Amino acid sequence: MTLESQMNSLNMTSPSLSFDEKKQLITRNLQEFLGEDRLNVILKERDLKIYWGTATTGRPHIAYFVPMSKIADFLRAGCEVTILFADLHAYLDNMKAPWELLALRTKYYEESIKAMLESIDVPISKLKFVKGTDYQLSKEYTLDVYRLSSVITEHDAKKAGAEVVKQVEHPLLSGLLYPGLQALDEEYLKVDAQFGGVDQRKIFTLAEKYLPQLGYAKRIHFMNPMVPGLAGGKMSSSEEDSKIDLLDAPALVKKKLKKAFCEPGNVEDNGVLSFLKHVVFSLLKPGENLVITRDENNGGNLNFSDYQSLEQVFAKQELHPADLKAAAEFYINRLLEPIRKKFESKELKDLTSKAYPPKKPVVESDIIAPHRLDIRVGKIVEVSRHPDAEALYVEKIDLGEENPRTIVSGLVNYVKEGDMANRLVVVLCNLKPAKMRGIESAGMVLCASVEEEGNKKVEPLFVPPSSKAGDKIVVEGYETGAPDEILNPKKKVWEKLQVDLKTSSEGIAQWQGNNLLTPSNEKLTCVNLKNAPIK
């Protein structure tokens, strides 16, 4: 039987399903679910009400068939399913999308999800779509946000969003609010259960802990496993080669699958196998097989009635990755074809181009990377006190140029004048020259700096003795690319790069964990200040 006929044979389960049959459909293929006792009580009385939410940011891709296949199970079990387009959440998640695009992207998501469910022939009479902003800006919801913020701790909020909200050193308050808002959605959507990926488990447990504190019921939580991307690891909208877009042409599907990570015998981190397991096999009815088409010289076709059999054959390396990819290509293209056809209409083409406008070419001058910094070894050939500032030295530093540069440094309180003379230092050379108490400074000596209990410590970076004045310092992995002639102060290139310049726990100077190196690949270090910002 072809996939098309398999999909056409899928119909809503009749109301005569038994309790056990409904429960089996609802819970099959999940990695985990919480609240089995509550599930049993509700199913014995009525159909379950479930919601699944998605933030309307990056374009939906084939991994969305994983939750769609599970939503198909819910609908076949007679559940009432709400799909929440979390437009407000999308904005709060480190502001991935500006407000002006969210309405367009929400419409794109709705059309895409309808097309996906149609492609697997799932009736949607018990399915409804809701936007977060339809109720999340109401007076009642806002008051509950305040109530929740009065009981939830910063630790719990940050922990709950650890695998969902982008983690940064100094998180925005919006990211801390995100998990609590998702918890409140369960109450305001009036559902019995929430469905999501296992990466949201901590948000689900936060909801179970805090909603009762507001007087609301504890809900059931269903969790799908995370499906590896084609390149291995998580499938992501932001990594082009890790996912297949719903509108990718057949030739592009083939190209991406050719590049997909599919190591012979590897069944642990295999996006191709995972897609077949969680999507294609979930669409097969009992007695129907997944077919791997092979040349007779390679053993002929293989038929599999269950995923475990396929996995065992692949693990034993009795099935070549190329044949597995060819089967995945066939099934993926059959799923995507009705979606492609639907989006050929002018209306949906216009929607796509407006919701996801073509990316502007990246201009070299817009790339914020350490190659733009002109960092060199300098030798102090002359040092004196600033005549009008007790804390400043005025140094003449040889940087391999025709004449030494004048650089003013605030090191009087940290380094003795005698220790400055003839010293090798690390200098940022392409800052815009600036006057410091009347003397123009044409660079900056880089130092590790910390402040502990009001006591500030500053120490110049140590340069290997084999270095010489003018040696260029590079960041490991960013050796190519020319530095800016002068860093534009308005674009704050130095400020954006400086936040990731630090000494390691071993005192090694690094940018985002990558070592700063001399031309002879020696590391710059700091003798006394570890885990300290470099300024």
Side-chain angles (χ1 to χ4, degrees), residues 292-442:
I292 306 284
T293 303
R294 299 193 303 184
D295 189 274
E296 289 297 332
N297 294 330
N298 295 327
N301 294 352
L302 293 173
N303 292 272
F304 298 97
S305 60
D306 59 82
Y307 171 75
Q308 288 70 27
S309 302
L310 172 63
E311 183 181 282
Q312 289 170 9
V313 169
F314 190 79
K316 294 176 183 177
Q317 299 190 36
E318 295 173 357
L319 173 61
H320 194 276
D323 293 323
L324 184 72
K325 289 181 179 183
E329 179 189 343
F330 168 77
Y331 286 109
I332 288 171
N333 278 322
R334 294 303 290 267
L335 285 170
L336 296 185
E337 189 56 29
I339 301 174
R340 296 184 194 117
K341 286 183 178 178
K342 179 174 181 177
F343 275 78
E344 285 176 358
S345 72
K346 183 180 185 304
E347 179 186 357
L348 292 183
K349 281 184 177 180
D350 288 344
L351 174 63
T352 303
S353 63
K354 290 176 182 177
Y356 297 96
K359 293 181 180 179
K360 295 179 181 178
V362 178
V363 179
E364 179 69 22
S365 61
D366 291 335
I367 298 172
I368 304 299
H371 72 268
R372 297 181 63 178
L373 304 178
D374 183 2
I375 303 176
R376 297 183 230 162
V377 173
K379 183 176 182 180
I380 300 175
V381 296
E382 183 182 322
V383 61
S384 61
R385 297 289 187 95
H386 193 296
D388 297 318
E390 293 182 355
L392 301 179
Y393 285 129
V394 179
E395 306 127 358
K396 298 287 186 180
I397 301 181
D398 179 6
L399 291 161
E401 299 169 328
E402 185 176 351
N403 298 306
R405 288 197 195 190
T406 298
I407 294 177
V408 180
S409 304
L411 293 171
V412 170
N413 296 328
Y414 309 104
V415 184
K416 294 179 181 179
E417 188 172 341
D419 293 337
M420 294 289 287
N422 297 313
R423 181 176 188 146
L424 290 177
V425 290
V426 182
V427 179
L428 178 60
C429 298
N430 58 342
L431 285 175
K432 185 177 181 180
K435 284 194 174 182
M436 299 183 69
R437 294 291 185 92
I439 297 178
E440 187 171 82
S441 179

Side-chain angles (χ1 to χ4, degrees), residues 190-222:
K190 302 303 177 186
V191 295
D192 307 306
Q194 184 179 175
F195 166 57
V198 74
D199 60 333
Q200 299 193 37
R201 190 184 197 281
K202 292 175 182 177
I203 293 180
F204 294 163
T205 56
L206 177 135
E208 294 194 4
K209 176 180 178 180
Y210 284 102
L211 282 188
Q213 294 186 35
L214 300 187
Y216 298 142
K218 185 185 293 188
R219 265 64 179 194
I220 303 160
H221 293 102
F222 300 115

Side-chain angles (χ1 to χ4, degrees), residues 77-108:
C79 301
E80 296 178 22
V81 178
T82 298
I83 291 182
L84 172 66
F85 295 124
D87 50 354
L88 182 58
H89 291 60
Y91 181 76
L92 293 179
D93 189 1
N94 214 26
M95 291 178 286
K96 287 181 179 177
W99 281 113
E100 56 267 24
L101 279 181
L102 288 174
L104 292 167
R105 291 187 174 179
T106 299
K107 181 63 176 173
Y108 181 88

Side-chain angles (χ1 to χ4, degrees), residues 136 140-150 177 181 184:
Q136 289 167 348
E140 295 76 16
Y141 188 89
T142 302
L143 289 174
D144 271 343
V145 171
Y146 284 125
R147 287 209 298 149
L148 191 62
S149 66
S150 71
L177 287 173
L181 300 183
L184 284 175

Side-chain angles (χ1 to χ4, degrees), residues 74-180:
F74 296 150
L75 291 169
R76 288 197 293 270
C79 301
E80 296 178 22
V81 178
T82 298
I83 291 182
L84 172 66
F85 295 124
D87 50 354
L88 182 58
H89 291 60
Y91 181 76
L92 293 179
D93 189 1
N94 214 26
M95 291 178 286
K96 287 181 179 177
W99 281 113
E100 56 267 24
L101 279 181
L102 288 174
L104 292 167
R105 291 187 174 179
T106 299
K107 181 63 176 173
Y108 181 88
Y109 266 68
E110 180 174 344
E111 295 297 336
S112 296
I113 288 173
K114 285 179 179 177
M116 293 174 75
L117 292 173
E118 289 167 3
S119 81
I120 55 177
D121 199 30
V122 178
I124 58 175
S125 60
K126 299 187 77 171
L127 178 71
K128 65 178 179 179
F129 300 97
V130 176
K131 288 190 300 182
T133 48
D134 289 342
Y135 63 89
Q136 289 167 348
L137 300 178
S138 68
K139 175 183 176 181
E140 295 76 16
Y141 188 89
T142 302
L143 289 174
D144 271 343
V145 171
Y146 284 125
R147 287 209 298 149
L148 191 62
S149 66
S150 71
V151 295
I152 191 172
T153 66
E154 180 208 12
H155 173 269
D156 282 0
K158 191 172 183 179
K159 179 181 177 183
E163 296 184 48
V164 179
V165 180
K166 184 177 180 180
Q167 299 298 293
V168 293
E169 186 173 354
H170 301 291
L172 297 173
L173 182 58
S174 60
L176 297 177
L177 287 173
Y178 188 116

